[in-house]
Amino acid sequence: MSEGPIIRTESLTKIFEEGKKQEVTALNDVNLEIGRGEVFGLLGPNGAGKTTLIRILLGLLTPTKGKAYVLGKDVEKEKQYIRQRAALLPQEAGIYELLTARENLVFYGGLYGIEEEELNKRADRLLEIVDLKDREDHLVKGFSGGMKRKVLVARALIIEPEVVFLDEPTTGVDTIGARVVRNVLKRLSSEENRTIILTTHDLNEVSELCDRVGILNKGELVATGKPSQLEDKFRAANLEEVFTGLVTGEGVYGE
Ligand SMILES: Nc1ncnc2c1ncn2[C@@H]1O[C@H](COP(=O)(O)OP(=O)(O)OP(=O)(O)O)[C@@H](O)[C@H]1O
Ligand SMILES: [Mg+2]
């Protein structure tokens, strides 16, 4: 029997402040499947629903309607199972400012019941990879924005998750740092067959990294596919044309 999708949503809908004047439909009837080992890019303008979708998939928000499954489990019923195996790099950092870079990793991993010796080994490797070895014993409080993002990337990976959600992993990270982060993600996917879901506003990053993308606009999933498939389908020269066309309604000549 072949394995089902790692992530699946069925008519997933999230309405905030339902019935009130401030009502917002953040997700509207989203049907999505992501397979093991895929690097999936979630695209969409500000407010499209990307972070909301990620938060629902991790059981941090309850959907208004529809269902979501991660690793074959219902996210509303098996939060614990999913949280042990899925990591999140949040858009709005939940970093511990008063711990050092290394302590951030080890403390977080400790919450998952991983032994300290093992955590220190993993932290050595991860801090090396994100190029923070020389600052590992400094308090994160004094780090720049990009350095904090790198600590969060390393922190998300310390539990060696099967699925990693990264909400804008390279926002605010410099060119070299962004390359480092992308290389880490590529390796995780190609060598370790981890499933990666990331959001970004950088379409070059998407072309370089993502096997498939989903474009959200005002809560609706308006397209999914490989970047090259979408370019063909919408007769666009590049992903930016596809994206702009779908989001603004201009310049899309496909269906
Ligand atoms: N807790 C909340 N209460 C009310 N509205 C919310 C809440 N969280 C999100 N929203 C609304 O839901 C919509 C989707 O927000 P979301 O954060 O998912 O967008 P996004 O695609 O991640 O955008 P960005 O690119 O700016 O990060 C927005 O209109 C937002 O204002
Ligand atoms: Mg967001």
Side-chain angles (χ1 to χ4, degrees):
M1 198 178 82
S2 71
E3 183 188 49
I6 295 293
I7 288 168
R8 183 158 63 90
T9 71
E10 285 172 3
S11 303
L12 197 65
T13 299
K14 178 70 187 179
I15 304 171
F16 288 106
E17 311 288 348
E18 195 171 13
K20 300 191 191 145
K21 221 174 78 200
Q22 316 90 302
E23 180 175 302
V24 175
T25 302
L27 292 174
N28 190 5
D29 209 13
V30 170
N31 295 292
L32 178 67
E33 285 194 0
I34 300 174
R36 184 177 294 277
E38 274 197 272
V39 181
F40 190 88
L42 210 46
L43 314 182
N46 294 136
K50 305 178 296 294
T51 299
T52 302
L53 177 56
I54 287 180
R55 298 190 67 208
I56 290 176
L57 292 173
L58 278 159
L60 300 169
L61 270 181
T62 311
T64 308
K65 272 184 276 178
K67 283 275 174 203
Y69 303 89
V70 173
L71 296 162
K73 310 280 186 197
D74 182 331
V75 295
E76 287 183 83
K77 296 195 182 128
E78 313 233 23
K79 290 192 173 72
Q80 240 358 72
Y81 180 91
I82 294 164
R83 282 188 202 160
Q84 283 289 331
R85 293 164 182 83
L88 168 68
L89 177 132
Q91 182 174 19
E92 311 223 341
I95 207 163
Y96 306 111
E97 301 265 348
L98 295 175
L99 296 182
T100 67
R102 173 177 288 273
E103 286 164 353
N104 258 280
L105 270 54
V106 172
F107 178 74
Y108 184 79
L111 298 176
Y112 286 80
I114 305 164
E115 277 182 33
E116 198 166 328
E117 196 185 325
E118 173 64 21
L119 287 173
N120 273 308
K121 264 198 288 187
R122 292 185 194 178
D124 280 339
R125 200 177 123 244
L126 287 166
L127 290 161
E128 189 78 57
I129 291 174
V130 299
D131 199 24
L132 281 175
K133 204 79 180 79
D134 58 334
R135 297 287 291 270
E136 66 173 25
D137 294 323
H138 292 206
L139 293 189
V140 162
K141 188 167 78 141
F143 280 15
S144 73
M147 289 162 72
K148 286 181 186 169
R149 269 324 296 123
K150 289 195 208 167
V151 173
L152 286 170
V153 171
R155 191 187 78 171
L157 300 180
I158 196 137
I159 65 166
E160 301 193 338
E162 279 184 63
V163 186
V164 197
F165 294 93
L166 303 113
D167 205 348
E168 302 193 15
T170 55
T171 298
V173 178
D174 68 29
T175 312
I176 310 285
R179 171 150 306 285
V180 166
V181 171
R182 284 199 291 272
N183 287 341
V184 174
L185 299 181
K186 274 190 209 163
R187 199 156 57 186
L188 267 177
S189 148
S190 63
E191 291 172 18
E192 300 185 27
N193 209 28
R194 312 281 171 169
T195 310
I196 297 168
I197 295 92
L198 70 121
T199 75
T200 178
H201 293 290
D202 179 347
L203 296 176
N204 290 325
E205 178 162 291
V206 172
S207 303
E208 182 184 334
L209 208 56
C210 297
D211 302 313
R212 264 187 339 127
V213 299
I215 300 178
L216 277 171
N217 189 34
K218 298 181 182 153
E220 306 213 351
L221 190 62
V222 291
T224 48
K226 293 187 187 353
S228 59
Q229 283 173 345
L230 294 182
E231 286 161 14
D232 289 349
K233 179 172 172 187
F234 294 104
R235 293 178 216 154
N238 51 45
L239 202 54
E240 186 174 327
E241 252 183 58
V242 174
F243 183 85
T244 314
L246 284 168
V247 168
T248 64
E250 291 166 11
V252 182
Y253 304 108
E255 48 202 78

